[in-house]
Every structure is written in C-alpha cells, then in structure tokens.
Amino acid sequence: MIDPEDAKIITLARSTRARNRADEGAAVRDLDGRTYTASSVVLPSLSLSALQAAVVVAVSSGAQGLEAVAVVTTGEPDDVDVAAVMELGGAGTPVHVADPDGTLVKTRQA
C-alpha cells in the first residue's frame, strides 16, 4: 500500500502531465513537505524529462533535499533522472513510477 502523501504526488504529477499535454509529469516533495511539479520540456534548444524539470524547480525554489518523487510516464526514468534525484535527495529516495492513469507501476530507490 502506498503512503497517502506519496499518492498525492502521483496525483499532482498526473495532473501536470494532463494540463500541459506532455509525455511525462513529475512531482517531488522536499524535506519540508513542499511539492514541486513539472512536465517534460521539449524545445529545439532544451530537452528535460519531467523528473529533471521538477528537480530543477525544487532546487531553484530553495529545497535542501527530497523526501520522495513521482513520475507519470509510459516509459521509465533513466539513469540521468535517477542521478538528479540522488544528488538532491540522496541514495534511497523513493522514485514512484505510475502509468498515465495514475496506477503505481513500481517504486525504485534513487
């Protein structure tokens, strides 16, 4: 069973993905309980996964660490995504992966 606070960030990631009509949506929760969301970014000069973009938003907002992250995607976070989570959250930060309907597919550790 997933923690209610983790279910909340999956819902936030899913709504961000839908609102922006993006391939991916992500949400991260910092050590103070604040959440940050982002969708994937695809521009001619810049491409970021949703998870990378959410980590950037958290860092630029002053987050000192991460408690948990969620990504809604049809794929899977790659090593660069997990490395970004680990740099801010540390090893062991849970990375919840959900499909577009919000169903939890798996949880891995950064």
Side-chain angles (χ1 to χ4, degrees):
M1 190 81 175
I2 190 165
D3 176 90
E5 289 299 312
D6 292 345
K8 177 180 160 185
I9 60 173
I10 291 172
T11 299
L12 291 169
R14 184 173 179 234
S15 65
T16 298
R17 178 185 180 271
R19 180 178 59 248
N20 295 338
R21 296 186 181 115
D23 290 337
E24 299 178 326
V28 301
R29 185 174 60 246
D30 73 9
L31 300 175
D32 294 325
R34 295 176 296 197
T35 56
Y36 309 92
T37 65
S39 61
S40 47
V41 175
V42 180
L43 299 171
S45 62
L46 176 67
S47 292
L48 295 173
S49 71
L51 202 45
Q52 292 167 351
V55 169
V56 167
V57 172
V59 169
S60 68
S61 297
Q64 298 299 305
L66 296 177
E67 193 173 274
V69 306
V71 61
V72 174
T73 182
T74 57
E76 183 149 340
D78 64 21
D79 291 341
V80 174
D81 294 332
V82 175
V85 170
M86 193 179 322
E87 284 182 27
L88 186 57
T93 303
V95 178
H96 303 293
V97 182
D99 63 17
D101 72 0
T103 301
L104 181 65
V105 175
K106 70 191 256 183
T107 298
R108 64 183 283 188
Q109 305 300 312

